[in-house]
Amino acid sequence: MHLAYPAVLSALLFCTGLYGVLARRNAILVLMSVELMLNAVNLNLVAFDVWLSRAARETLHSGQALTLFTITIAAAEIGIGLAIVLAVYRNRGTSDIDRLRDTAEGHEGDTTAAEKAEATA
């Protein structure tokens, strides 16, 4: 197989993941988009490893070993990220990224303008 096919597929996967990170508001969908981007990188690592091992006639396969480390890091990242998202959802009641603020601010962002005017009067 030619190197261009997995490279184009990897670029499409990465662009789809990048769009998901930039356009989505749900934290779980953002985490899924990051995973899609990491899988695109893994596909590139394996494709270039196979291509370079054919050219150099060596059997080191360092790209495939690096891919295993990347998969391990991605699994840990999604586990910790999902735990954080679930904890925030339990505390705030939403996983919308735009509505989440710094935890020091409390729930001031949820009050309406009428409630603020009533509090100051």
Side-chain angles (χ1 to χ4, degrees):
M1 182 187 310
H2 199 271
L3 182 63
Y5 298 126
V8 167
L9 178 63
S10 176
L12 289 174
L13 283 174
F14 191 85
C15 289
T16 304
L18 185 64
Y19 172 75
V21 167
L22 295 177
R24 298 294 175 196
R25 295 182 180 191
N26 191 346
I28 294 175
L29 291 177
V30 170
L31 287 174
M32 289 173 54
S33 297
V34 169
E35 289 295 319
L36 196 62
M37 291 167 60
L38 286 173
N39 284 330
V41 171
N42 287 339
L43 179 63
N44 254 344
L45 282 171
V46 171
F48 278 99
D49 179 56
V50 169
W51 182 66
L52 288 174
S53 68
R54 281 187 198 162
R57 301 282 185 231
E58 60 186 43
T59 59
L60 186 58
H61 298 296
S62 58
Q64 294 178 15
L66 187 59
T67 298
L68 289 175
F69 286 117
T70 307
I71 290 171
T72 305
I73 296 296
E77 174 257 334
I78 197 68
I80 292 171
L82 192 58
I84 291 170
V85 168
L86 286 174
V88 167
Y89 181 77
R90 286 181 183 164
N91 288 336
R92 299 282 178 99
T94 185
S95 63
D96 187 8
I97 293 176
D98 290 338
R99 298 186 82 197
L100 297 178
R101 305 247 188 242
D102 192 9
T103 56
E105 291 182 15
H107 295 284
E108 286 185 34
D110 296 337
T111 59
T112 62
E115 290 174 350
K116 288 181 181 179
E118 205 174 82
T120 57

